[in-house]
Amino acid sequence: MKTIAFGQYYPVQSPIHRLDARIKIILAILFIVCTFLCKNILCFAALIVAALFLIFMSRLPLGTVLRSIRPLIFIMIFTAVLNLFWTTGETPLFEWWRIRIYEEGIYSAVFMVVRIIVLVLGTGLFLTYTTTPIALTDGIESLLSPLRVIRVPVHEFAMMMTIALRFIPTLSEETGKIMNAQKARGVDFSEGGLIRRAKALVPILIPLFVSSFRRADELAMAMECRCYRGGKGRTRMTVPHLHARDFVALVVMVAFGAGILYLNRLGIGYSVP
Amino acid sequence: MAQPFIHTKDLWYSYREDDAHSTPVLRGISLDIARGEYVAILGHNGSGKSTLAKLFNAILEPDSGELTVAGTDLASPELTEDEIFALRREVGMVFQNPDNQLVATIVEEDVAFGPENLGVPSAQIRARVDAALAAVGMSEYAGSEPHRLSGGQKQRVAIAGILAMQPSCMIFDESTAMLDPKGRREVIETFERLNREQGITVLTITHYMNEAARADRVIVIDDGRVLMDGTPREVFANTEALLAAGLDVPQCTALVHALRREGVALTGEPITTEECAELICRALEVQ
């Protein structure tokens, strides 16, 4: 249980790893916007090139990156089929019984699939693969901090995230222990139907919950003993500073967005509405 | 002796589950602990020793009696949040379960948690964290994740986390109880070094006799009262009273007492294995 991966973070040194977490969050959002701005074949080509460039820059092994798409295969096939059969155009390429496939349908199916792939790759490459969960939490806290003015408990939210991340390995280890303890008492987790298996989980969940509450209680006391009293008057050990590379990355992303908009206006080939 | 660091007089405390049934856990504790002392508080389960520690750190409020810690009157009804805050930076507490007191996902981030709460400037936090990790011998693990450490190592990180707040007193509430012998030794050696080198007042709450024997002073709590208070030698000499309080005596003390009962003439009260061995050797030579 000690080998449990913390999120999907892939620890290598790369230009993307080195970027500031806040900038990466903004870049990821901009990149998502870009994927939705894409309308024609040139744009999507540019998007694919950008995604390949990101993979190259992140120094991640291609296999690891592509594996992140696997869980979405069903959604991709579903959207592709939907777009293929339901998009109407002028002249059908193929007609059989009540099924008509148009050129436009093929285009929009391909575009949708590319869009989904790039979307997942982009967020993964900017966020989960290249940013530690803790940096991500700090980044979110920092970006949301203006909301404090309207009394959103941003610090508390970030603290909860941090503690959750801290206790994932601890609780998963504990789950393993409880399961073993129940197995030793003859509980079978692998047989029976869905309902029986779900029922078998009850004797795991109850002790786990009870112990979590006890842990929470002790942790709260330990935190109080270490003078924790919320975000008020709190300083941080590492104050993130923006570097030139962060601004460069931002400028490149904005330029990419502008490029996409320009390519859209060229109006080459089929353009999705 | 100047003003004691911790002063209690006729201290009472009871956990109130409901008003009708409140059995007092502490029944009139009176003791003084000076700055820089190394004190072990002994007692069996339910003797009130942990409750006493929680009173010292203002986690619990006393029912009646005097309680002054680091110059702050904790029995005062007008105790403010800020006073408690100031007290807690003076008196740090390390708990039993090492897993339930580490907050952050990276060792150095966790050590920084205390100073961050105190509002220490960033550059100083860095220096404090490095110094605290060096003091507990965990510098090389600064970038590790807590769940990859052993129990003893986690507990040393917890000590570093308190140390980074630069307290003048540290309370160890059964901090070695969940550790294996190696981890226990690591933790004990760490806080003994802190006591010796940095003059930090150390209060260790334990039911391990061998651990208590290493302290400068042992206070035995039984049924919410101070049963004995003195040097380990004085306290462990009174084997019968300790056994009556449901406590063990250190193995070597027990051995010497058993030998004496059998008519072997042994003089002195050994509390360490070496002393005991020496004593027996000397007795054999005489024979």
Side-chain angles (χ1 to χ4, degrees):
Chain A
M1 278 289 173
K2 292 229 165 182
T3 51
I4 183 166
F6 242 26
Q8 292 176 303
Y9 182 66
Y10 196 88
V12 285
Q13 289 287 322
S14 85
I16 297 184
H17 281 74
R18 272 195 292 275
L19 289 178
D20 187 281
R22 295 167 291 179
I23 295 296
K24 277 191 270 193
I25 296 170
I26 296 173
L27 289 178
I29 295 170
L30 289 178
F31 195 66
I32 292 169
V33 172
C34 283
T35 58
F36 282 102
L37 286 177
C38 283
K39 296 267 185 258
N40 62 30
I41 194 153
L42 273 180
C43 289
F44 281 102
L47 208 57
I48 291 170
V49 171
L52 291 175
F53 175 72
L54 281 178
I55 296 174
F56 172 72
M57 289 296 274
S58 68
R59 307 269 152 83
L60 287 165
L62 197 62
T64 310
V65 180
L66 293 181
R67 223 169 295 139
S68 66
I69 307 170
R70 208 192 289 160
L72 292 161
I73 284 177
F74 175 73
I75 295 178
M76 289 192 303
I77 293 172
F78 185 71
T79 8
V81 168
L82 220 62
N83 276 286
L84 193 61
F85 292 118
W86 267 268
T87 311
T88 49
E90 281 157 21
T91 44
L93 285 178
F94 173 84
E95 204 170 347
W96 178 72
W97 188 45
R98 292 174 66 182
I99 297 170
R100 286 193 194 93
I101 292 175
Y102 299 88
E103 193 187 350
E104 287 81 354
I106 295 172
Y107 273 122
S108 61
V110 171
F111 287 173
M112 263 336 260
V113 169
V114 170
R115 196 175 267 170
I116 293 171
I117 292 174
V118 171
L119 203 71
V120 173
L121 283 186
T123 43
L125 288 171
F126 278 122
L127 303 175
T128 50
Y129 280 121
T130 60
T131 320
T132 56
I134 191 92
L136 211 52
T137 312
D138 286 348
I140 294 169
E141 181 181 3
S142 176
L143 283 178
L144 294 181
S145 57
L147 293 180
R148 250 180 241 148
V149 181
I150 54 163
R151 290 171 182 262
V152 176
V154 177
H155 166 76
E156 283 72 9
F157 182 71
M159 196 71 207
M160 276 158 55
M161 285 277 291
T162 310
I163 291 172
L165 289 170
R166 154 75 185 81
F167 278 92
I168 287 171
T170 309
L171 291 180
S172 84
E173 206 174 307
E174 184 151 22
T175 312
K177 275 187 203 163
I178 296 171
M179 273 178 94
N180 284 338
Q182 305 287 22
K183 273 186 204 157
R185 286 166 177 78
V187 180
D188 194 345
F189 297 112
S190 53
E191 275 182 22
L194 200 62
I195 293 173
R196 240 187 96 181
R197 279 200 217 181
K199 269 187 181 166
L201 284 177
V202 173
I204 296 175
L205 291 178
I206 290 174
L208 194 63
F209 267 95
V210 170
S211 100
S212 303
F213 281 118
R214 206 193 52 238
R215 276 181 200 283
D217 217 31
E218 280 182 30
L219 184 71
M221 194 177 356
M223 282 170 74
E224 254 185 62
C225 280
R226 290 167 78 180
C227 291
Y228 181 69
R229 49 176 180 183
K232 188 183 60 162
R234 208 172 126 79
T235 50
R236 297 307 305 263
M237 175 167 70
T238 39
V239 183
H241 292 289
L242 293 180
H243 296 273
R245 55 172 179 260
D246 297 313
F247 292 108
V248 170
L250 211 54
V251 168
V252 169
M253 183 56 84
V254 171
F256 177 68
I260 293 282
L261 287 178
Y262 176 73
L263 290 177
N264 271 341
R265 290 186 49 189
L266 287 181
I268 293 168
Y270 170 73
S271 177
V272 278
Chain B
M1 187 161 77
Q3 201 202 3
F5 185 73
I6 296 174
H7 164 79
T8 78
K9 198 173 173 195
D10 196 28
L11 193 65
W12 285 73
Y13 182 82
S14 50
Y15 288 101
R16 262 162 300 252
E17 260 139 45
D18 55 276
D19 283 326
H21 303 281
S22 60
T23 31
V25 183
L26 299 181
R27 307 154 178 266
I29 300 265
S30 300
L31 47 87
D32 286 309
I33 292 167
R35 212 169 260 273
E37 267 195 289
Y38 172 20
V39 181
I41 298 179
L42 263 179
H44 66 84
N45 291 340
S47 60
K49 57 188 195 303
S50 283
T51 309
L52 187 63
K54 287 184 181 120
L55 283 162
F56 290 162
N57 205 353
I59 296 171
L60 303 174
E61 274 174 53
D63 292 350
S64 67
E66 291 174 23
L67 174 61
T68 313
V69 178
T72 313
D73 182 6
L74 298 184
S76 151
E78 292 108 61
L79 191 68
T80 63
E81 283 280 317
D82 287 340
E83 277 176 314
I84 293 176
F85 187 78
L87 171 86
R88 285 184 181 155
R89 70 175 293 176
E90 281 288 304
V91 181
M93 192 141 163
V94 180
F95 294 89
Q96 184 175 22
N97 190 334
D99 269 322
N100 297 355
Q101 47 188 324
L102 302 181
V103 183
T105 48
I106 302 286
V107 165
E108 61 175 12
E109 291 276 343
D110 186 81
V111 176
F113 181 72
E116 284 177 342
N117 290 337
L118 296 174
V120 175
S122 302
Q124 281 179 38
I125 297 181
R126 186 77 256 176
R128 280 187 184 204
V129 168
D130 292 343
L133 281 172
V136 299
M138 289 292 290
S139 298
E140 56 182 309
Y141 296 98
S144 304
E145 291 163 359
H147 68 100
R148 294 187 193 278
L149 304 177
S150 74
Q153 288 173 330
K154 277 184 222 173
Q155 208 59 306
R156 272 149 71 200
V157 171
I159 296 175
I162 302 293
L163 204 58
M165 295 166 70
Q166 301 182 339
S168 52
C169 174
M170 285 174 87
I171 302 174
F172 295 86
D173 188 1
E174 305 225 32
S175 306
T176 59
M178 291 181 72
L179 306 179
D180 56 8
K182 183 171 170 282
R184 201 174 296 155
R185 199 169 54 243
E186 284 170 9
V187 169
I188 294 171
E189 278 166 5
T190 304
F191 65 62
E192 285 183 349
R193 200 169 55 243
L194 294 176
N195 174 257
R196 250 188 345 262
E197 289 169 9
Q198 305 196 15
I200 291 173
T201 313
V202 169
L203 251 69
T204 168
I205 289 155
T206 180
H207 56 256
Y208 289 110
M209 297 302 132
N210 295 331
E211 218 176 294
R214 300 172 69 135
D216 297 335
R217 177 178 166 195
V218 177
I219 298 170
V220 182
I221 307 275
D222 183 44
D223 200 20
R225 293 190 188 87
V226 177
L227 185 71
M228 280 184 264
D229 182 353
T231 63
R233 223 170 282 278
E234 289 163 8
V235 168
F236 293 128
N238 203 344
T239 320
E240 286 71 31
L242 280 175
L243 293 174
L247 287 166
D248 275 331
V249 287
Q251 282 182 336
C252 51
T253 315
L255 176 65
V256 169
H257 276 256
L259 286 172
R260 215 172 268 158
R261 260 202 310 280
E262 296 298 318
V264 184
L266 293 169
T267 44
E269 286 298 335
I271 51 169
T272 67
T273 319
E274 288 75 28
E275 284 177 4
C276 180
E278 213 171 285
L279 195 71
I280 294 170
C281 283
R282 241 185 295 136
L284 287 172
E285 275 167 29
V286 172
Q287 279 184 354

